[in-house]
Amino acid sequence: MPWILLLFAGLLEIVWAFAMKQSQGFTRLVPTVTMVVAMLGSFGLLAIAMRSLPLGTAYMVWTGIGAVGAFAVGVLVLGEGAGALRLAAAAMILGGLALMKLASS
């Protein structure tokens, strides 16, 4: 169960990062409110997951999901570049997440 909570916490991190971008520096109300709600949910789920998971593992997985997810949203939704080096960096983060999960089992 803590891994599922951590996954949802990471997904909410993607939501709040995207909403922050859409808020245009907190000048748009709906994206700003969306960001705050998603941020609170993300931190809350992370805190619950940390009851059972080690700090380093939980935090690394949470930030990794957020980082790779935000990168994917940037490329797929916002039209940001996806050059070979950026894709390789994202793949290395995913590899690190997989190794961390294996090490925790």
Side-chain angles (χ1 to χ4, degrees), residues 60-61 64 68 87-103:
M60 182 184 166
V61 171
V68 173
L87 290 170
M92 285 191 271
I93 292 170
L94 287 174
L97 294 175
L99 285 175
M100 186 62 75
K101 173 65 172 112
L102 288 173

Side-chain angles (χ1 to χ4, degrees), residues 9-31:
L11 294 174
L12 284 173
E13 186 180 2
I14 299 164
V15 171
W16 70 252
F18 178 69
M20 183 184 289
K21 176 72 171 171
Q22 296 304 105
S23 77
Q24 297 179 359
F26 309 122
T27 61
R28 296 178 61 216
L29 181 61
V30 172

Side-chain angles (χ1 to χ4, degrees), residues 68-83:
V68 173
F71 168 72
V73 168
V75 171
L76 298 172
V77 177
L78 301 176
E80 297 174 358

